[in-house]
Amino acid sequence: MSLTRTSMREIDTSAALDLSRRLFQALEACATDGRGITRMPWGPGEAAAHALLRDAGEAAGLEASVDAAGNLYLTLPGRDRTAPRWMSGSHVDTVPDGGNFDGAAGAVAALAAAVALKEAGHVPRCDVTAMVIRAEEVSSWFTGHTGGHLGSRAALGLLWPDELTTAHHIALDKPVGEVIDDAGFDARALRDGPPHLSAANVAGFLEIHIEQGPVLIDRELPIGIVTGIRGTVRLREARCVGAYTHSGAVPHELRQDAVLATVALAHRLDEAWSEARATGEDLVVTMGKIHTDRAVESLSKVPGECAFTLDIRSQSAATLSRMKALVESAAETIGAERRVRFELGRIAVGKPAPMDETLRAMMREVSADLAIPTDDVACGAGHDSADFHHAGIPAAMIFVRNTGGSHNPSEHMEMSDYAEALRVLTETLRRLTA
Amino acid sequence: MSLTRTSMREIDTSAALDLSRRLFQALEACATDGRGITRMPWGPGEAAAHALLRDAGEAAGLEASVDAAGNLYLTLPGRDRTAPRWMSGSHVDTVPDGGNFDGAAGAVAALAAAVALKEAGHVPRCDVTAMVIRAEEVSSWFTGHTGGHLGSRAALGLLWPDELTTAHHIALDKPVGEVIDDAGFDARALRDGPPHLSAANVAGFLEIHIEQGPVLIDRELPIGIVTGIRGTVRLREARCVGAYTHSGAVPHELRQDAVLATVALAHRLDEAWSEARATGEDLVVTMGKIHTDRAVESLSKVPGECAFTLDIRSQSAATLSRMKALVESAAETIGAERRVRFELGRIAVGKPAPMDETLRAMMREVSADLAIPTDDVACGAGHDSADFHHAGIPAAMIFVRNTGGSHNPSEHMEMSDYAEALRVLTETLRRLTA
């Protein structure tokens, strides 16, 4: 039970909820492609979303600014402008044919919370900033050498030395540095300048995001408080190389079948996943793409090549490390057994990001004070909050129940669930900056 | 030991071998596409091959005729023109980017043998006819409802009632009936007329073909005598349908992963294959094509759809029947376990075709008489000979050693090995028509 509970008077978020509703409708209207919502990083859909939120923030009297990557900041000035600020936000880009709320819900909520605090006459002890982030959905839009989450990592100075050159925007067919310059921002400043955000000038980061799994539905909860963000082991351009031969005439022991070898690898990983579940170990394994070569494949040819991706996630760094070793050793063993060669390509490892204990405790307390039912949930997807954690900035997330799956046009958030998340975010920011 | 051995005087095939060599060079020259040999059924490459062989046959004094499907017949007239004829031949179409010898070796050898018999002054008791067959490589060029081997099956009256409409030529984007008419032949006659070939007018069919496996290489034999042709269970347009969701956020028990379900099915069939090998049962299993949907797939999406093909072959009808049932039951079980739906599409079953015992015995005897080392070999691929068997006509095949695999540009036949096959074919035809 909170010490402040009996004395608290909750800030009214009803006008901020109306603002949110209008913004979600406007965001949808300017980015639908008939099938779903598409806001490409540094593309027209993302730019329109930034313009909408900037206009809404400025209309409400917030200060607007933009960093060298194009991330947008809408700030409610604090009493001490030099004190490390409290931030909230999320990205507004989407996967191709995605939905309207991943991650616009968090960008809109951050703006709405700042507006609610301002309207209530709350003058925070430090700045409170809503951040509208670029380019979080990197795996759908980029190829080449990249650590993902290009917008938040650019703001936090976490880009790898050559990443502005090696991360390649598939649709625009350009390295991300050129894409940023073409969009009117400043890749050189990102490369040469100090990070825009750091533990020295940011006190902490809170992010509202739709849940991308069905856990809150199962538990009949409107919102959840995230325990940690899973890390990843990712293979974007793996393939198995065997030899094309006649499908009927070559006996088993002389085949070099790239598909059945890839099947054996995937089956081994699926088994390892079952073993992990049996011991309660956190793990998910996905082979999102698999392709034989359309130029030479045939019903009646033993396939000589098979390309595939792997996306392995866990909250445990040890599990990730073990799974990476398993991919490598199984590829070696199966390759030798089946007379094929696996070319795994780069194996990118993203570290898990546990959420800040103090912030989690405060959000649990706020939820209890506001009589909003909630619970701890694990987070299987990557989020900008992970980058704040990796930059040494305390971060926490609130998930909103989502009945339509994720990364597809059917993702869905009830406004009544969103309203609860907005209440918790606004009250948490008030307490943090009282 | 043959009764005729001591008294036989072998027909000289050296001029026929030279003719073969020139024809192989000319066939290659008119069908190379830079990567491999492409002679599309009823396309320009196949037409050029037919024209070449017709010219060569007519130049050597053979009678040329063509049936309603465009199959070419080059005949050495016999003493009794009404007696059932002995035939030899093979197809000249290829897979895309295939090699020069599958099946042109058999068409050229049939022509060369007839020419050798003629040049030697052999007047057969019945007609001896070389058949140059259309459209054997159906699985590479056609989609829709088809029993394959469209050229030989058309000649033998084995096409299914609607097959001229339902077998669809992918590259020409037309049903095969229209393709045949456009090429100057007569689909209506195929539909309404009597079969051009039958057990009433054909005494038997002999086919030379490159081996499409490595068995003769392993045994260091130039040629082999085929025991039987494997039958097939084929799924051309199977798919697994699950649901697209976020790859990190959905726990195992709530996923509908179409790729891991397809992996489970393929793994089950691979296991069944291992079990069959352990008991010496004849079987091969191939998943030649597998594809997620490029329009919606992503590294970070659980795949909601996976398309694949299956090509299962055995010399045993019982094994084929058991494997077909296994595909169906495993799809059902795995679908239920993994919350996905397999849409297997049509499961086409092609019966095995044992080769004629009497002809096999005669070819073994001829080989021994000519001191050519040979052995029995199983045939894993489909061949036109199977259709003659299914039409009630005795059929037999001679395989020629092939060091370059099959259905690819590297397939290779040594002319010294081909020469041995041509000697056996010529002598067998001589004895059969003495």
Side-chain angles (χ1 to χ4, degrees):
Chain A
M1 192 65 58
S2 160
L3 294 176
T4 60
R5 187 173 186 181
T6 47
S7 62
M8 78 167 270
R9 191 168 150 270
E10 187 187 356
I11 285 177
D12 183 3
T13 53
S14 57
L17 186 60
D18 285 343
L19 171 64
S20 301
R21 205 178 271 117
R22 287 196 304 276
L23 286 171
F24 288 131
Q25 284 166 359
L27 283 168
E28 179 170 1
C30 70
T32 182
D33 61 7
R35 291 183 297 191
I37 300 293
T38 299
R39 292 190 280 263
M40 184 170 82
W42 291 289
E46 191 193 52
H50 277 245
L52 257 171
L53 299 187
R54 180 178 185 132
D55 289 350
E58 289 184 326
L62 304 180
E63 292 178 5
S65 67
V66 173
D67 69 17
N71 296 299
L72 169 65
Y73 303 90
L74 298 164
T75 298
L76 172 62
R79 301 193 292 276
D80 178 357
R81 301 297 309 261
T82 64
R85 67 180 86 173
W86 278 93
M87 298 186 67
S88 179
S90 193
H91 63 99
V92 289
D93 64 312
T94 66
V95 298
D97 293 324
N100 198 35
F101 301 115
D102 169 5
V108 168
L111 167 60
V115 170
L117 290 170
K118 185 172 192 306
E119 298 292 316
H122 175 72
V123 181
R125 61 171 175 80
C126 61
D127 287 3
V128 171
T129 298
M131 182 177 176
V132 183
I133 304 177
R134 297 267 173 185
E136 195 264 359
E137 301 288 3
V138 172
S139 60
S140 296
W141 295 104
F142 285 82
T143 185
H145 186 31
T146 171
H149 302 181
L150 288 165
S152 55
R153 288 176 58 247
L156 292 158
L158 297 179
L159 294 183
W160 299 331
D162 290 334
E163 194 166 352
L164 289 166
T165 312
T166 59
H168 194 86
H169 196 301
I170 299 162
L172 299 176
D173 196 17
K174 282 179 186 166
V176 65
E178 285 183 35
V179 169
I180 285 172
D181 286 339
D182 290 355
F185 307 109
D186 188 353
R188 178 191 292 257
L190 290 177
R191 194 158 30 225
D192 303 336
H196 193 73
L197 305 177
S198 69
N201 62 19
V202 182
F205 182 78
L206 305 178
E207 183 175 8
I208 285 180
H209 202 285
I210 56 167
E211 192 200 354
Q212 288 168 280
V215 175
L216 294 173
I217 299 171
D218 265 19
R219 299 195 200 157
E220 299 185 358
L221 293 171
I223 64 169
I225 294 168
V226 172
T227 54
I229 297 172
R230 285 181 175 136
T232 52
V233 170
R234 288 176 156 188
L235 288 73
R236 289 170 192 280
E237 290 175 323
R239 61 185 202 133
C240 179
V241 181
Y244 289 98
T245 43
H246 193 284
S247 64
V250 179
H252 188 277
E253 63 277 12
L254 295 174
R255 286 184 178 222
Q256 300 171 262
D257 185 325
V259 165
L260 286 185
T262 303
V263 161
L265 177 66
H267 180 75
R268 182 68 198 90
L269 299 176
D270 202 24
E271 277 181 341
W273 189 6
S274 296
E275 290 153 18
R277 282 202 311 286
T279 62
E281 198 176 354
D282 185 54
L283 183 64
V284 287
V285 176
T286 306
M287 186 176 273
K289 307 185 193 180
I290 181 168
H291 290 282
T292 42
D293 182 350
R294 288 209 188 269
V296 283
E297 68 180 10
S298 163
L299 171 75
S300 58
K301 277 188 198 174
V302 173
E305 186 174 338
C306 185
F308 60 95
T309 63
L310 279 173
D311 184 8
I312 299 170
R313 307 195 190 200
S314 174
Q315 290 192 74
S316 154
T319 301
L320 289 176
S321 165
R322 193 171 52 73
M323 288 301 289
K324 177 171 180 286
L326 175 61
V327 170
E328 291 168 321
S329 66
E332 197 68 36
T333 310
I334 293 165
E337 281 169 7
R338 291 176 179 261
R339 299 161 299 281
V340 299
R341 187 176 76 253
F342 280 96
E343 297 177 355
L344 297 177
R346 171 175 294 275
I347 303 185
V349 178
K351 288 175 291 185
M355 295 290 91
D356 184 75
E357 283 290 351
T358 308
L359 291 174
R360 287 174 54 203
M362 180 178 282
M363 294 197 301
R364 273 197 303 274
E365 189 176 77
V366 168
S367 301
D369 291 348
L370 302 181
I372 296 168
T374 183
D375 201 353
D376 284 349
V377 287
C379 170
H383 291 293
D384 296 305
S385 286
D387 307 303
F388 284 82
H389 165 83
H390 295 315
I393 298 169
M397 294 189 75
I398 301 170
F399 271 174
V400 182
R401 176 164 50 188
N402 160 21
T403 53
S406 170
H407 283 186
N408 73 62
S410 315
E411 61 159 50
H412 179 70
M413 176 179 78
E414 288 293 330
M415 285 307 290
S416 54
D417 292 344
Y418 168 83
E420 304 291 48
L422 178 60
R423 289 173 65 202
V424 173
L425 175 65
T426 305
E427 177 59 17
T428 303
L429 285 171
R430 189 190 68 76
R431 293 187 190 183
L432 288 165
T433 61
Chain B
M1 193 64 58
S2 158
L3 294 176
T4 59
R5 185 172 186 184
T6 48
S7 60
M8 76 169 271
R9 190 167 151 272
E10 187 187 356
I11 285 177
D12 183 3
T13 53
S14 57
L17 186 60
D18 285 342
L19 171 64
S20 302
R21 204 177 273 118
R22 286 196 304 276
L23 286 171
F24 288 130
Q25 284 166 358
L27 283 168
E28 180 170 0
C30 70
T32 182
D33 60 9
R35 292 183 298 191
I37 301 293
T38 300
R39 290 190 281 261
M40 183 171 82
W42 291 290
E46 192 193 54
H50 277 247
L52 258 171
L53 298 187
R54 180 178 185 135
D55 289 351
E58 289 185 326
L62 303 181
E63 291 179 6
S65 66
V66 173
D67 69 18
N71 297 300
L72 169 64
Y73 303 90
L74 298 164
T75 298
L76 171 62
R79 298 192 293 274
D80 178 357
R81 301 296 311 261
T82 65
R85 68 179 86 173
W86 277 94
M87 297 185 69
S88 179
S90 193
H91 64 100
V92 289
D93 63 314
T94 67
V95 297
D97 292 325
N100 198 36
F101 300 116
D102 170 4
V108 168
L111 166 59
V115 170
L117 291 170
K118 183 172 195 304
E119 297 293 313
H122 175 73
V123 181
R125 61 170 175 79
C126 61
D127 286 2
V128 171
T129 297
M131 181 176 178
V132 182
I133 304 176
R134 296 266 174 185
E136 194 265 355
E137 301 289 2
V138 171
S139 60
S140 295
W141 295 102
F142 285 81
T143 186
H145 187 32
T146 170
H149 301 180
L150 288 165
S152 56
R153 288 175 58 247
L156 291 158
L158 297 179
L159 294 183
W160 299 332
D162 290 334
E163 195 166 352
L164 289 167
T165 311
T166 60
H168 195 85
H169 197 299
I170 299 162
L172 299 176
D173 195 17
K174 284 180 185 166
V176 64
E178 285 183 36
V179 169
I180 286 171
D181 286 340
D182 290 354
F185 307 109
D186 188 353
R188 176 190 293 260
L190 290 178
R191 195 159 29 228
D192 303 337
H196 192 73
L197 305 178
S198 69
N201 61 22
V202 182
F205 181 79
L206 305 179
E207 182 174 9
I208 284 178
H209 202 286
I210 56 166
E211 192 199 354
Q212 289 168 282
V215 176
L216 294 173
I217 298 171
D218 266 18
R219 299 194 199 158
E220 300 184 357
L221 293 171
I223 65 170
I225 295 169
V226 172
T227 52
I229 297 172
R230 286 180 174 136
T232 52
V233 171
R234 288 176 155 188
L235 287 73
R236 289 172 191 279
E237 289 174 323
R239 61 185 202 132
C240 178
V241 181
Y244 289 97
T245 44
H246 192 285
S247 63
V250 180
H252 189 278
E253 63 277 13
L254 296 173
R255 288 186 177 219
Q256 299 172 264
D257 185 326
V259 165
L260 287 185
T262 302
V263 162
L265 177 66
H267 179 76
R268 182 68 198 91
L269 299 176
D270 202 24
E271 277 182 341
W273 189 6
S274 295
E275 290 152 19
R277 282 203 311 285
T279 61
E281 200 175 352
D282 185 56
L283 182 63
V284 288
V285 176
T286 306
M287 186 176 275
K289 307 184 195 181
I290 181 167
H291 290 282
T292 41
D293 183 349
R294 288 208 187 270
V296 283
E297 67 180 9
S298 162
L299 171 76
S300 58
K301 278 187 197 173
V302 174
E305 186 174 339
C306 185
F308 60 94
T309 63
L310 280 173
D311 184 9
I312 299 170
R313 308 194 190 201
S314 174
Q315 289 192 71
S316 153
T319 300
L320 289 176
S321 165
R322 192 171 53 73
M323 288 300 290
K324 176 171 181 288
L326 175 61
V327 170
E328 290 168 321
S329 66
E332 198 68 37
T333 310
I334 293 166
E337 281 169 5
R338 292 174 178 262
R339 300 160 299 281
V340 298
R341 188 176 77 253
F342 281 95
E343 297 177 354
L344 297 177
R346 171 175 295 276
I347 303 184
V349 179
K351 288 176 291 187
M355 295 290 91
D356 184 76
E357 283 289 354
T358 307
L359 290 174
R360 286 174 55 203
M362 179 179 282
M363 293 196 302
R364 272 198 303 274
E365 188 175 79
V366 167
S367 300
D369 290 349
L370 302 180
I372 296 168
T374 184
D375 200 355
D376 284 351
V377 287
C379 170
H383 291 291
D384 296 304
S385 287
D387 307 302
F388 285 82
H389 165 84
H390 296 314
I393 297 169
M397 293 189 76
I398 301 169
F399 270 175
V400 182
R401 174 163 54 187
N402 160 20
T403 54
S406 170
H407 283 187
N408 73 62
S410 313
E411 61 159 52
H412 179 70
M413 176 180 77
E414 287 293 330
M415 286 307 291
S416 54
D417 292 344
Y418 168 83
E420 304 291 49
L422 179 60
R423 287 173 66 201
V424 174
L425 175 66
T426 305
E427 177 60 18
T428 304
L429 285 170
R430 188 191 69 76
R431 292 188 190 183
L432 288 165
T433 61

